Amino acid sequence: MRDRTLIHTLPFSQGRELSTLVENRRAFTLDSLELNIYETYRVSEYVPLRFDDLVMINMIQGKKIMHLDHMKAFDYLPGQMIVLPAMVGMHIDFPEATLEQPTQCSALTIRKEKIEAVLDYLNEFYPKEQLDRWHIDPELFHLYNSNELAELVNKLFQIIISENPLKDVLADLTFKELTIRLLQSQSLMALKVGKSPNKVLVHLQEFIRRNITEKISIDLLEKAAHMSKASLTRMFNRELGLSPMEYVIQQRIGKAKQLLLLTRNVKESCFGAGFNDVNYFVRLFKNRVGITPGAFVLAQ
């Protein structure tokens, strides 16, 4: 079970729009963006695909097995996003596609100049801490959609497929916001997997993990980081897209999941992750993960 928001299903091909049962493609082209919608209606294996520009691929419906260059194959499911540089080769299996239950995914290709313009703007006016620069990390390519990412993707897709005469302008504004959220998601993943260059965030992550069962306040985090509340909050919001205390909650939820899998005991997992009220823990867990802690245990 993944606590990630799904991308809305897009309209499926009708009539003459359907020219093949395997990766049928429809394209909606703007100035520097192109939305490709792919549908597959029968089981297929090792279907090749490659894009000339950087691409954001979202699985919307069904299941694929992805084979990327020099990588072990992996399942690709709704709620997941892949961000790939130009010219990365891939082959795709469709183990479950049928006429009644086709797969659907989107591929948003972005001109190099467009993504570079957004990165240049952020690096000039909203630089990161620790002298690091905003950039898309090709190694952190496999993401899970946060609520914010999914909402922006849904909004952008609806703009692109609409007949609005101002859709180029509206799509440009939404794309910039989507890019910022994508970069923040990569920063959060880099911190999680030990690749973050921000030494303050790395230190705070370890501090929170060591003290996960204790009361952690914003004042305590200020002291641990040797930063003011304003500077600390700005760093978290800018680089990770969330507040320091929201990050603490995410760490507690992650710890609770680990404990639930180990102990299968809701009360023990609640207190072991630093929550002091079981009812609050159950409500918060369901809000963030989508199911109760008990249902989470049963789903594993």
Side-chain angles (χ1 to χ4, degrees):
M1 178 67 66
R2 294 286 184 184
D3 47 325
R4 296 295 183 265
T5 302
L6 304 184
I7 305 301
H8 297 162
T9 301
L10 294 166
F12 277 84
S13 300
Q14 300 293 324
R16 294 183 179 179
E17 292 180 321
L18 186 60
S19 59
T20 176
L21 296 180
V22 179
E23 288 293 70
N24 185 76
R25 171 180 173 266
R26 287 174 293 149
F28 300 83
T29 304
L30 301 184
D31 183 31
S32 300
L33 301 172
E34 183 174 80
L35 172 61
N36 300 275
I37 304 174
Y38 290 93
E39 301 157 6
T40 294
Y41 293 81
R42 63 177 175 82
V43 172
S44 307
E45 293 184 348
Y46 221 59
V47 179
L49 191 61
R50 187 189 301 266
F51 295 95
D52 295 334
D53 294 301
L54 183 143
V55 61
M56 299 180 187
I57 306 173
N58 274 279
M59 194 65 192
I60 300 176
Q61 177 175 300
K63 174 183 176 179
K64 294 182 179 182
I65 300 175
M66 301 292 292
H67 306 263
L68 301 183
D69 288 346
H70 313 300
M71 286 194 60
K72 183 179 179 180
F74 59 90
D75 290 350
Y76 189 36
L77 302 169
Q80 301 179 9
M81 177 190 290
I82 296 176
V83 182
L84 297 175
M87 303 308 294
V88 172
M90 66 188 87
H91 290 82
I92 309 169
D93 299 337
F94 301 87
E96 301 173 358
T98 65
L99 287 172
E100 294 75 23
Q101 292 293 327
T103 66
Q104 185 183 73
C105 82
S106 65
L108 181 71
T109 57
I110 305 117
R111 294 279 298 274
K112 179 181 179 181
E113 297 81 5
K114 189 171 188 67
I115 197 73
E116 287 180 346
V118 178
L119 294 173
D120 289 343
Y121 176 83
L122 289 172
N123 284 316
E124 180 176 358
F125 295 103
Y126 299 94
K128 298 178 74 172
E129 304 286 342
Q130 308 292 310
L131 302 178
D132 184 35
R133 291 179 62 80
W134 291 106
H135 68 284
I136 292 180
D137 190 334
E139 295 186 15
L140 301 175
F141 67 91
H142 192 180
L143 306 171
Y144 293 93
N145 286 320
S146 64
N147 289 335
E148 293 81 8
L149 266 179
E151 287 172 3
L152 288 167
V153 169
N154 286 324
K155 179 180 178 181
L156 180 60
F157 288 177
Q158 292 306 311
I159 291 171
I160 292 175
I161 67 176
S162 75
E163 299 296 330
N164 192 320
L166 296 176
K167 66 180 181 179
D168 279 276
V169 176
L170 296 173
D172 182 65
L173 294 171
T174 304
F175 171 75
K176 290 176 179 176
E177 188 176 357
L178 173 62
T179 301
I180 293 170
R181 287 295 185 184
L182 171 64
L183 293 167
Q184 291 171 335
S185 293
Q186 283 202 327
S187 294
L188 194 59
M189 178 181 285
L191 184 60
K192 182 178 180 180
V193 301
K195 285 191 58 182
S196 175
N198 189 316
K199 295 179 180 179
V200 177
L201 287 175
V202 172
H203 170 67
L204 288 175
Q205 176 179 248
E206 184 57 31
F207 177 83
I208 293 167
R209 287 176 176 173
R210 289 198 313 266
N211 298 278
I212 197 73
T213 59
E214 307 298 324
K215 182 178 179 180
I216 301 175
S217 64
I218 187 68
D219 293 334
L220 191 62
L221 294 177
E222 288 176 52
K223 294 177 182 178
H226 304 290
M227 297 175 70
S228 69
K229 182 184 295 185
S231 296
L232 182 69
T233 301
R234 182 174 61 250
M235 180 180 66
F236 269 86
N237 284 332
R238 181 174 295 182
E239 298 203 21
L240 304 182
L242 42 79
S243 71
M245 295 313 298
E246 173 60 27
Y247 181 73
V248 173
I249 290 174
Q250 288 192 7
Q251 292 294 96
R252 293 194 191 282
I253 291 290
K255 180 65 175 180
K257 288 180 177 180
Q258 295 174 8
L259 293 172
L260 285 167
L261 295 177
L262 287 172
T263 68
R264 307 186 73 83
N265 184 296
V266 173
K267 184 176 181 180
E268 188 174 337
S269 300
C270 166
F271 294 121
F275 297 101
N276 55 21
D277 183 285
V278 175
N279 290 329
Y280 169 75
F281 166 63
V282 171
R283 291 196 303 271
L284 183 67
F285 192 96
K286 183 176 182 180
N287 177 264
R288 301 305 174 86
V289 182
I291 55 175
T292 65
F296 176 82
V297 171
L298 293 175
Q300 304 307 309

